[in-house]
Structure formats: structure tokens, C-alpha cells
Amino acid sequence: RRLGKEKHLYEFWNTFGFLECSKALTCEYIVEEFGREILRGNLEITLEPGERKIIEIPELRAVDGESLFVRFEFRYRRGISGCEEGELAGLEQFCLKKTADYEQLSEREEDEGKHYMPAVSGSGKKIVIQGDDFSYTIKKQTGLFESMIWRGKNLLEQPMHFETFRAPTDNDMRRKDRWEMLHLDRLEAKHYATTIEEKSADKEKYVEVRTELALGYAVYPQICHIMVSDRIYADGRFTIGLQVKMTDIRCAMPRFGIHISLPKSFSKVSYYGYGPYESYIDKRRADYKSLFTATVSDMFNDYIVPQENGSHYDCEYVAVENADTGMEITGTPAFSFQIMEYTTEELAAKAHNTDLVKSAYTELYLDYRQNGIGSESCCTNLKADYEFVERQFEMNWYFRLSSIEAESK
């Protein structure tokens, strides 16, 4: 454990019952800023069984940055029965300093001609916003994007929609009936009002579309009231902001976010959050916060009984790309995301993993938050700190599209 606010003092504890720890384990520390390594070193730790010791690491005194984490990795030495040399035995990570959130990797293209006001058109149920490189269509009913054309390429296979349901896990067995009774898997948007304004800030011009709506099902009481704020800039960047007020539904929500169906060709993922395994607010001790890269197929956890899986907690940055186009997403506050070859509906509907049918698209879920996983299948209630019971919250996502070929030249 870390001692107070000191960056260089840590207490180590040998939990082996009969073995001096240095005979079984090596220890290495890695310091990263925004997931990029800036310092690495080895520690020689000698602890008798059950012994605790405070160890100073002088090299950590001078490290500085805006998002600093130190990770201690313990690996097996040769000769430990049942373990390979160098195999990871465990890890622990500590935040040394956090004063800024992750910023998008790509530099914005400098183009003096991009400081014009995007064109707005459309009537009835749609709003069309256009610039030199893009044409976006917003659906008035939801305030979310219905289509997204970027430099002649379609990046949205189906209209975005709100996601409030997850495929129940084994531990959701006592919650799923309530979720289904509230029809969280089939909520519909009821539109109240839409306003469109042309604005400017910091010498940039943008169109802001604000939509007031509620989510509910048929004649049943509404689940929540939402104010959606979309901002579209001349270079194609856009933001989606949500202000949500929940009604008194008297249970924890499984999740709240938006679902984006991308073309199947979007198969490479990078993210700054908890990985490399799936992570949730109460299920991340095997993970650590860093910058990871994976493929969409690698992000799926194949449980025998299909259920919620593959989400990543406390993410500040996500990038998805295909051969020629990239989509970068940052969020305030940090969020959870999930990207799969299956939809939540498919996971919830099938009883066996062999029955699953892959989606025709790459399914991206951005969540303000998910409910904790817990262990209720073993009759232990989910701790209150991990329940998603907030009744009022805000979320902002920032999107940037880029041409990979153009930026690589």
C-alpha cells in the first residue's frame, strides 16, 4: 500500500506462509503518464513469511505529470511448482497525480476555411447539418444522429439510440425481473421540443441542436427526462451532451448510454481506461489503467451462458478505426465503453454461446455508467457504492473523425 501522499514510500506485505518472497517472486515498477511509459525499474524485496516492510523508491520522487500512475508487477521465478518463469502472479496500481483528463491524440487539421458556420436544413422529423467534408442527420425524436456521412463514407449503419438495458448476468438474477417489468429493453423516446441555434466561441462557429425528450414504454410511466445538446463544428467535430433526470423507479439501473452501430470494417480499438480484461466499477482488480490496443473480436468474453461482458471502466479516450477512417471519442466525466460483434439484444435472447449470431455491424456502446456486477448469485447483495442509483447526472462525449491515409502522409 502507498503511505499517505508520498509518491516514493510503499508498504509491502509477504502473505506467503512458509516462503521468503524474493525466492518466489520478482518485482518491477512501471510509471506511466496517460498510459505511456516514462520510467521502469526493478525492486529487490526481501520479506520473511508474514513480514511487512516500508520501502522507499527514490526514483519516484522526481516524476511529474498530469495523469501519473505507478504499477507494481510481481512475476514468478524459475522453479515455482505449477508456474512458468516470468508468469504474472499479481499487480497493484496507484495514482500518483491526476490533474488533467486524456486529450485526443490527433492534432486538429489547420484550415482557415473551416471557420464558417455549417449549413442547416431539413424539416419535419430530421435536421441535416452539412460542411465541406460531412453531412450529419439528427433525428428530432431522440436528438441523436440518424446518419453520418464523412468524406463520402457512411459511418453510421443504424440510427444512434439510448441504451438502458444490459444482457443480465448470473448475478443480476434478482434484478432482471424488475428491469424487464420496467421495459428497460424496449424504451421509446417521446419528443417534446427541439431548438437550433448558430453560435460561436473561441473564434469557432458551430450549430447547436437541443432536444427535450423522455424515455418510456407505451402507456407506462416515464423512466427519465433527457435534454440532449449536440454541437457540430465546421471541420466535422461534434459533441453529444446529456442532462438526465430519472424518475423514482426504485431500483438500480443496469446502465445508461448510447448505442452506435458502425460499419463492420471498424475493427481496431484503442482506449485509455481499465484493461486489458473486462472491467466494471466493482470488478477490476486484475486490470490497471493504461492505454491499450485491441481488435473488436478480442474485446468479447465468451461466457457459456451469454450475458453482459467486455465493458471497460473509467475510460477517458476511445478510438475506433478501419483502413482509412478513424473515430476518436473523449468524455467528461470518465465513462465505460463496450465494443462487440454482438448486440445486447442478441446476448439477452440466447441461452447458449453456440447459438449466438454476429451482428452485421460493429456495435459500440458508450455508457455514462453501468451497475456493478456483484455476486448476488452467491446471495451477497451488491454494495451500495457500486449501485447505479443516481437520479440526476450529466455526460458529454466529444467526437473527432479523421482520414488515416491523409494524416499518415
Side-chain angles (χ1 to χ4, degrees):
R1 68 185 178 93
R2 182 180 173 187
L3 295 183
K5 297 182 179 180
E6 299 294 337
K7 293 188 292 185
H8 64 292
L9 293 178
Y10 298 85
E11 183 182 50
F12 293 83
W13 177 24
N14 181 7
T15 58
F16 284 125
F18 304 96
L19 190 62
E20 194 274 304
C21 68
S22 66
K23 295 180 179 179
L25 301 172
T26 63
C27 179
E28 185 178 37
Y29 63 88
I30 302 99
V31 180
E32 295 179 334
E33 183 181 23
F34 291 117
R36 294 177 175 83
E37 183 180 319
I38 61 174
L39 181 66
R40 179 185 292 259
N42 295 305
L43 288 180
E44 292 295 332
I45 302 175
T46 302
L47 293 173
E48 296 299 327
E51 183 184 3
R52 296 173 185 260
K53 183 185 295 185
I54 295 175
I55 296 179
E56 180 181 2
I57 309 174
E59 292 81 0
L60 298 186
R61 283 179 178 271
V63 294
D64 196 17
E66 295 181 320
S67 183
L68 282 176
F69 288 81
V70 60
R71 182 173 72 255
F72 295 93
E73 293 186 350
F74 300 89
R75 299 182 181 276
Y76 290 110
R77 293 186 183 274
R78 180 182 300 178
I80 302 300
S81 178
C83 304
E84 296 184 5
E85 182 181 9
E87 180 182 345
L88 184 65
L91 61 87
E92 193 69 60
Q93 187 180 55
F94 301 93
C95 179
L96 300 180
K97 187 176 180 180
K98 183 66 175 173
T99 60
D101 294 329
Y102 197 100
E103 295 184 357
Q104 293 172 329
L105 288 173
S106 300
E107 296 294 333
R108 193 172 63 203
E109 296 175 5
E110 295 296 335
D111 188 341
E112 293 298 328
K114 301 287 182 165
H115 296 294
Y116 60 84
M117 186 68 69
V120 182
S121 62
S123 60
K125 299 180 179 180
K126 300 178 181 181
I127 301 168
V128 179
I129 302 173
Q130 295 177 307
D132 290 343
D133 298 321
F134 66 91
S135 176
Y136 301 152
T137 302
I138 294 176
K139 187 176 181 179
K140 284 187 178 181
Q141 183 182 6
T142 62
L144 300 178
F145 287 58
E146 184 177 82
S147 72
M148 189 186 302
I149 307 298
W150 165 258
R151 294 182 177 173
K153 301 180 179 67
N154 177 36
L155 303 185
L156 195 60
E157 296 287 3
Q158 292 185 326
M160 294 182 186
H161 63 266
F162 294 103
E163 192 67 60
T164 57
F165 187 74
R166 74 182 186 195
T169 68
D170 296 334
N171 294 326
D172 291 331
M173 57 189 300
R174 290 189 287 177
R175 300 175 182 268
K176 65 179 181 180
D177 290 342
R178 177 67 175 169
W179 292 345
E180 291 171 353
M181 185 179 72
L182 292 170
H183 306 286
L184 296 183
D185 58 336
R186 61 193 71 181
L187 297 181
E188 299 171 349
K190 181 178 180 180
H191 176 260
Y192 292 122
T194 297
T195 62
I196 306 172
E197 292 185 77
E198 296 181 346
K199 296 184 175 182
S200 62
D202 298 326
K203 298 182 180 180
E204 288 194 293
K205 297 180 180 180
Y206 61 90
V207 174
E208 182 175 54
V209 180
R210 293 177 61 84
T211 305
E212 184 180 359
L213 65 126
L215 293 182
Y217 176 71
V219 298
Y220 294 91
Q222 296 173 356
I223 297 298
C224 63
H225 180 274
I226 307 173
M227 178 64 74
V228 183
S229 176
D230 303 313
R231 292 183 177 183
I232 297 91
Y233 296 83
D235 61 0
R237 288 175 298 126
F238 63 91
T239 69
I240 298 177
L242 306 178
Q243 295 178 322
V244 183
K245 293 183 179 180
M246 305 298 300
T247 59
D248 186 16
I249 60 175
R250 299 184 181 181
C251 76
M253 287 285 290
R255 78 192 314 166
F256 196 98
I258 57 176
H259 178 188
I260 305 173
S261 294
L262 300 170
K264 194 73 170 180
S265 59
F266 280 80
S267 59
K268 184 179 179 181
V269 188
S270 300
Y271 62 96
Y272 180 58
Y274 276 88
Y277 311 110
E278 64 178 9
S279 57
Y280 296 81
I281 189 171
D282 63 336
K283 183 178 182 286
R284 50 192 166 95
R285 292 305 298 270
D287 294 274
Y288 55 94
K289 189 159 185 175
S290 188
L291 185 62
F292 299 95
T293 300
T295 62
V296 172
S297 59
D298 291 336
M299 303 287 278
F300 180 71
N301 288 62
D302 191 15
Y303 293 105
I304 295 175
V305 177
Q307 55 193 280
E308 165 64 31
N309 75 89
S311 184
H312 289 271
Y313 171 73
D314 198 34
C315 289
E316 300 176 29
Y317 169 83
V318 175
V320 190
E321 62 184 52
N322 59 15
D324 52 24
T325 305
M327 175 185 290
E328 293 179 299
I329 307 165
T330 57
T332 305
F335 57 97
S336 293
F337 93 100
Q338 179 183 42
I339 189 165
M340 300 186 294
E341 298 177 298
Y342 305 93
T343 62
T344 291
E345 293 80 6
E346 179 69 10
L347 296 177
K350 300 298 173 64
H352 302 94
N353 58 349
T354 54
D355 298 330
L356 289 174
V357 178
K358 291 183 178 181
S359 170
Y361 319 123
T362 292
E363 308 293 353
L364 173 63
Y365 297 83
L366 302 177
D367 291 311
Y368 164 74
R369 183 173 172 180
Q370 278 215 36
N371 200 50
I373 296 297
S375 56
E376 292 192 28
S377 59
C378 300
C379 301
T380 302
N381 292 332
L382 182 66
K383 289 185 177 181
D385 290 346
Y386 303 140
E387 288 190 310
F388 184 10
V389 292
E390 293 175 69
R391 291 298 173 254
Q392 187 168 334
F393 53 88
E394 296 184 12
M395 183 70 221
N396 292 281
W397 283 292
Y398 310 90
F399 296 76
R400 182 183 183 275
L401 304 175
S402 60
S403 173
I404 294 175
E405 292 181 349
E407 294 186 354
S408 64
K409 291 179 181 180

